Amino acid sequence: MTLIEVEHLRKTFLLAVRQTGRFASLRGLLSRQTRPVHAVSDVSFTVAAGELVGYIGPNGAGKSTTMKMLTGILHPTSGRIKIAGRVPYQERVEHVRRIGVVFGQRSQLWWDLPTIESFALLRHIYRIPLARWQANLQSFSTLLDLEPFLNTPVRQLSLGQRMRADLAAALLHDPAILFLDEPTIGLDVVARERIREFLEHINRENGVTIMLTTHDLADIERLCPRVVLIDHGGVVYDGPLATLRTRFGRWRTLIVDLNQSVDHVEVPDAELLRVEGTRVALRFDRDRTTAAALIAAVAARYPIRDLTVEEPEIESIIRDLYEQPGSLA
Amino acid sequence: MEFPGSTATGISLLSAVRMPINLRLYYEIAIRAFRRASVYRAAYVAGILTNAFFAALRCFVYLAVYHAGTSVAGFSPNDAITYTWLTQALISIGAGWLAWDLMQTIRSGDVITDLSRPWSFYGYWLSRSLGERCFNLLLRGSVTYLIGFLFFAARLPHLTEALAFVVAIGLALLVSFAYGFIVNLTAFWLIDNTGVMLIANIVLTFFSGFLLPLAFFPPWLRQVALLLPFQAITSLPAEIWLGHLTGAAVWRAFAVQAGWALVLMLLAIRMLHFAMRKVVIQGG
Ligand SMILES: Nc1ncnc2c1ncn2[C@@H]1O[C@H](COP(=O)(O)OP(=O)(O)OP(=O)(O)O)[C@@H](O)[C@H]1O
Ligand SMILES: [Mg+2]
C-alpha cells in the first residue's frame, strides 16, 4: 500500500538581495530585490507502508526542506504531496495527528521541566488514552533506557539522552509514519547504535513507516534497505543500497597473491595500487574490463596462488557521487 | 471559552467549531507554563527588586513635585503613588513590557515543533502566556505591591473594586497577549524584527499609561490614547483599582477591553493565517 506520494515537488525560496551603494538600506526598504534559491527543484518518489527509507544527499541538497514539506509545515512552490490520502499542508491538523517528527538539531521537549512533564503533555495534545500512553511509555523506557532521567529537567540531559527522549516523544501517539531529520547527529557510537536498534524495532515490530535523513552512512547500511539520494534539489538515485553499490561503484580492486614476490606488475586496463611482497592490489574499471579478463591477464604473466575481488565501500561511492555530481547521469 | 485558532493551520474558523475544543489540553499547557515560571527563583526575586526600585524612584519624583494636599488631574498624591506601584507590579504581566518568546522561536526555527501539532497555535501561546502571567501576578506582582503598601502606603481597594479589578486584569491579559502576538509574528516576514519590537514596546509603554497616567496627558494626546487599544492593558485596570471608575463606568471599561480583546485576537489570527501561507522555517 502506498503511503507517501510525492510528485515533481519543488520549493523555491526568495532571498532578499542586499542592496549596495548609497542609501542601500533605504532603497532596500523601498524595493525588495529577490533572488530565487531552488532548495528542492524536482523530487518524486513513493513510499509504501512499512518501509524504512534513507533520504540522503550532500549538505544543501534539499533534504530538510523536503522533510518540512512532508510534515506540512512548509508549502511547496509546486508539485504534489499526498500522505495517507491527505495533502499535508492543506489538512495539517489531521495530518500531524498521524505522524511523528524529530528534527535532530531541535527538541520538542519543555526545556525547563522534567522530561516526564513533556510526555504527560503529549498525552493531552494527541488525546492518547491513558492505558495506551502508559503502555507506550513503559515500552519506550525499556527500549531506550529513559527511566534514569524521566524526572530530570530536559536542559540537564546529555545530547544522547535528549535525543532518546525526543524519539520517544515523537512516538507516544502511535504515528503511522515517523520523519527523522538527522536523528543521530552529534551522538557517540554507542548512542547511535542504540537509536538504530530502536528504529529497527519500531519499524519491524510496530510497523511504523520511517523516512530518515542522515550523514552517517553506517545508519543507512544498518537500517535502510532503500535509499533515495538527492542532489541539487533532484533525485539522482532511488533503490536498494546494494544496487547503488553495483551501479555506481565502477571501481573494483583485485588482490592477488603470487607465488613469488615481485616489485612491479604491469597489466592492461588496470592500475597498480600497491605491492606488498607477494600480494598485489590492482584497481580496475568494471565498465572497461571484467574481473575474469583481468585475472586471465595476470595469470598469463605471473603464477597466481590466491585472489579476491573487493567491492568498493559504500562510503567511498557516496563520496565520489557527492564530489562529482555529473557522474550520476 | 473557545480558541478559534485552528486557523493556525490555514483552515478557517469553521473547523474550530467542527473540531471539539480540547480545553483540558490548554489547561495542561498553562499549568506547565506556571510551573516553569516558578523554576527560576533568582529571576523573579531580581524582578521584584528591580520593579520595587523603579517604583520607589518614580514615587520620589511625584512626592517632590506634588504640593501637600493638592491633586493633579484628579490624582491625589496617594493616587499617584498607588498608580505607580500598581503599574510596576503589573510589568511582569505585560503592562509595560512585551514578551519576546514567540519571536525567538521564529528566529531560531524552533517554531517548527509548535507548528506541527494538532492544536491551535494561538491557543497554545495564549495558554502559555496566561499560565506564566498568573504566576507572575501571584508572586512578582503581589510582592512588589506589598512593598509599596508597607513603605509608601499604596492603597488597598474595597472588595467590589478588587473584584472588578480581577475581571479587568483578565481582559487586559487577553488584549496584551494579542498585541504581543501580532508584534512577535512580524518575525515571520522580517526575520530581524527587533526594531519593530522596540517601537511597539515604546508605544505600549507610553499609550497604555504605564509611564504616566493618561489623565496627565495634554487633552489632544489623551484623546489619541483613548482611541487606541493600549489603555485596556494598563490604564483601565489601574483606574478601577484606584476607585476612579465606579458603577456604569466600570462596565464601560469592561466593554472597551472586551472589544479590543476581540478585535486584536481576530487580527492576530488573521495575521497568523497569512504567516502560515508564506511561512519559512529557519535553519536545517
Ligand atoms: N529558509 C530558507 N531561506 C532561503 N534558503 C533556504 C532556506 N532553507 C533552506 N534554504 C536553501 O535551500 C537549500 C537546501 O537546504 P536544506 O536545508 O533543505 O538542505 P539539506 O539537504 O537539509 O542540507 P544539510 O545536509 O546541510 O542539512 C540550501 O541551499 C539552503 O541554503
Ligand atoms: Mg538538513
Side-chain angles (χ1 to χ4, degrees):
Chain A
M1 190 189 77
T2 305
L3 199 56
I4 304 176
E5 278 175 85
V6 174
E7 264 175 38
H8 303 299
L9 191 62
R10 185 187 185 89
K11 178 72 197 183
T12 306
F13 291 110
L14 291 179
L15 275 189
V17 178
R18 283 218 177 279
Q19 308 255 351
T20 50
R22 290 169 82 192
F23 308 113
S25 57
L26 198 63
R27 278 191 290 130
L29 270 182
L30 297 176
S31 79
R32 292 241 316 193
Q33 277 195 23
T34 53
R35 179 174 60 86
V37 176
H38 304 290
V40 172
S41 47
D42 186 3
V43 165
S44 306
F45 59 84
T46 61
V47 177
E51 271 196 282
L52 206 169
V53 180
Y55 195 60
I56 59 174
N59 288 130
K63 302 182 296 296
S64 297
T65 307
T66 311
M67 286 297 210
K68 286 171 194 164
M69 288 190 278
L70 293 177
T71 54
I73 315 160
L74 215 54
H75 287 222
T77 306
S78 67
R80 227 171 56 90
I81 308 178
K82 205 142 211 195
I83 297 179
R86 290 189 189 81
V87 179
Y89 56 96
Q90 282 172 2
E91 296 173 75
R92 242 227 333 262
V93 169
E94 283 312 302
H95 175 64
V96 297
R97 249 182 229 295
R98 286 160 185 84
I99 62 168
V101 186
V102 175
F103 287 96
Q105 299 101 312
R106 310 183 190 287
S107 180
Q108 56 166 306
L109 308 166
W110 284 53
W111 201 239
D112 304 304
L113 295 179
T115 315
I116 187 78
E117 285 285 329
S118 295
F119 292 158
L121 186 63
L122 286 163
R123 180 162 83 79
H124 299 288
I125 295 176
Y126 293 96
R127 297 179 185 244
I128 310 167
L130 186 60
R132 187 75 220 147
W133 179 82
Q134 280 168 336
N136 280 346
L137 188 58
Q138 180 63 50
S139 141
F140 298 152
S141 289
T142 315
L143 288 167
L144 291 166
D145 195 20
L146 306 176
E147 207 76 54
F149 54 86
L150 276 181
N151 290 306
T152 311
V154 174
R155 72 186 131 80
Q156 291 172 14
L157 300 185
S158 76
L159 186 59
Q161 291 173 328
R162 205 221 75 207
M163 197 67 86
R164 270 139 63 198
D166 258 305
L167 269 179
L171 286 160
L172 280 173
H173 59 292
D174 293 314
I177 312 173
L178 183 60
F179 293 104
L180 304 168
D181 195 0
E182 304 196 36
T184 54
I185 191 169
L187 303 189
D188 69 27
V189 187
V190 182
R192 277 167 196 244
E193 190 47 34
R194 172 160 230 141
I195 285 185
R196 286 174 200 147
E197 269 167 29
F198 177 72
L199 294 179
E200 195 170 34
H201 178 92
I202 56 149
N203 176 247
R204 292 243 177 95
E205 307 299 319
N206 306 18
V208 179
T209 306
I210 301 178
M211 219 178 134
L212 76 100
T213 77
T214 181
H215 286 294
D216 182 358
L217 290 163
D219 288 348
I220 300 288
E221 291 207 87
R222 172 84 159 67
L223 284 175
C224 307
R226 172 183 169 199
V227 294
V228 175
L229 175 63
I230 65 161
D231 195 13
H232 291 101
V235 176
V236 290
Y237 176 79
D238 181 351
L241 192 62
T243 313
L244 183 71
R245 197 197 297 265
T246 48
R247 178 155 349 143
F248 297 111
R250 300 188 350 205
W251 295 97
R252 296 294 146 89
T253 308
L254 172 68
I255 297 174
V256 288
D257 283 322
L258 305 177
N259 268 337
Q260 69 213 56
S261 62
V262 291
D263 33 61
H264 192 71
V265 171
E266 180 110 24
V267 249
D269 290 329
E271 177 193 339
L272 182 65
L273 283 183
R274 57 184 183 270
V275 181
E276 293 157 359
T278 58
R279 173 164 293 191
V280 177
L282 293 160
R283 201 165 84 116
F284 67 98
D285 183 343
R286 201 195 48 180
D287 291 353
R288 291 192 26 218
T289 182
T290 63
L294 191 59
I295 293 165
V298 177
R301 279 156 235 222
Y302 317 91
I304 298 180
R305 217 173 35 166
D306 195 9
L307 62 86
T308 46
V309 179
E310 280 185 352
E311 301 243 303
E313 291 286 312
I314 193 70
E315 189 128 4
S316 69
I317 297 175
I318 304 262
R319 199 186 323 117
D320 286 351
L321 291 178
Y322 284 6
E323 277 165 7
Q324 21 181 312
S327 66
L328 293 162
Chain B
M1 186 151 124
E2 233 179 53
F3 299 120
S6 61
T7 324
T9 65
I11 305 170
S12 72
L13 291 177
L14 274 177
S15 73
V17 181
R18 271 208 319 275
M19 194 174 65
I21 303 295
N22 189 350
L23 265 189
R24 176 69 191 273
L25 166 62
Y26 298 101
Y27 167 75
E28 295 286 339
I29 294 168
I31 286 290
R32 279 169 185 76
F34 187 97
R35 258 182 239 150
R36 189 170 61 169
S38 69
V39 168
Y40 294 105
R41 197 161 304 159
Y44 60 71
V45 171
I48 290 169
L49 292 178
T50 319
N51 293 345
F53 173 77
F54 281 102
L57 209 65
R58 287 169 62 188
C59 282
F60 290 134
V61 175
Y62 280 130
L63 292 174
V65 297
Y66 261 97
H67 298 291
T70 55
S71 104
V72 178
F75 274 61
S76 70
N78 183 258
D79 284 348
I81 283 167
T82 299
Y83 192 92
T84 303
W85 281 95
L86 185 72
T87 50
Q88 287 290 140
L90 296 182
I91 282 189
S92 62
I93 68 158
W97 198 250
L98 283 169
W100 297 57
D101 39 8
L102 169 58
M103 172 271 237
Q104 278 160 352
T105 70
I106 297 172
R107 283 180 68 172
S108 71
D110 286 344
V111 70
I112 199 169
T113 319
D114 302 330
L115 287 174
S116 41
R117 295 280 191 221
W119 63 22
S120 148
F121 185 76
Y122 189 83
Y124 161 66
W125 277 101
L126 177 59
S127 313
R128 248 181 88 150
S129 160
L130 290 181
E132 186 184 320
R133 287 178 171 184
C134 275
F135 174 83
N136 286 344
L137 188 64
L138 291 179
L139 200 103
R140 292 174 64 158
S142 56
V143 173
T144 304
Y145 197 78
L146 187 68
I147 297 172
F149 171 72
L150 292 177
F151 296 98
F152 287 81
R155 174 178 195 268
L156 283 190
H158 307 298
L159 186 62
T160 43
E161 288 165 351
L163 287 177
F165 175 76
V166 170
V167 175
I169 281 296
L171 291 166
L173 282 175
L174 295 181
V175 177
S176 92
F177 172 76
Y179 175 61
F181 189 89
I182 289 170
V183 175
N184 272 265
L185 219 56
T186 57
F188 273 123
W189 287 270
L190 300 175
I191 306 305
D192 185 6
N193 69 337
T194 30
V196 173
M197 302 260 330
L198 283 173
I199 292 169
N201 213 3
I202 291 169
V203 170
L204 169 70
T205 319
F206 187 73
F207 284 107
S208 68
F210 171 80
L211 268 186
L212 209 63
L214 298 187
F216 292 10
F217 282 21
W220 67 270
L221 199 57
R222 185 152 177 269
Q223 282 311 312
V224 174
L226 293 181
L227 290 173
L228 295 172
F230 309 103
Q231 56 154 335
I233 296 172
T234 313
S235 179
L236 290 177
E239 284 183 75
I240 290 175
W241 181 268
L242 281 173
H244 285 187
L245 297 183
T246 47
V250 172
W251 293 103
R252 263 201 303 281
F254 289 167
V256 168
Q257 286 186 300
W260 278 119
L262 191 70
V263 168
L264 290 184
M265 183 181 79
L266 291 176
L267 202 67
I269 288 172
R270 197 81 210 125
M271 198 165 149
L272 181 60
H273 184 83
F274 285 121
M276 292 313 305
R277 302 190 65 182
K278 72 142 288 162
V279 83
V280 170
I281 307 292
Q282 300 304 310

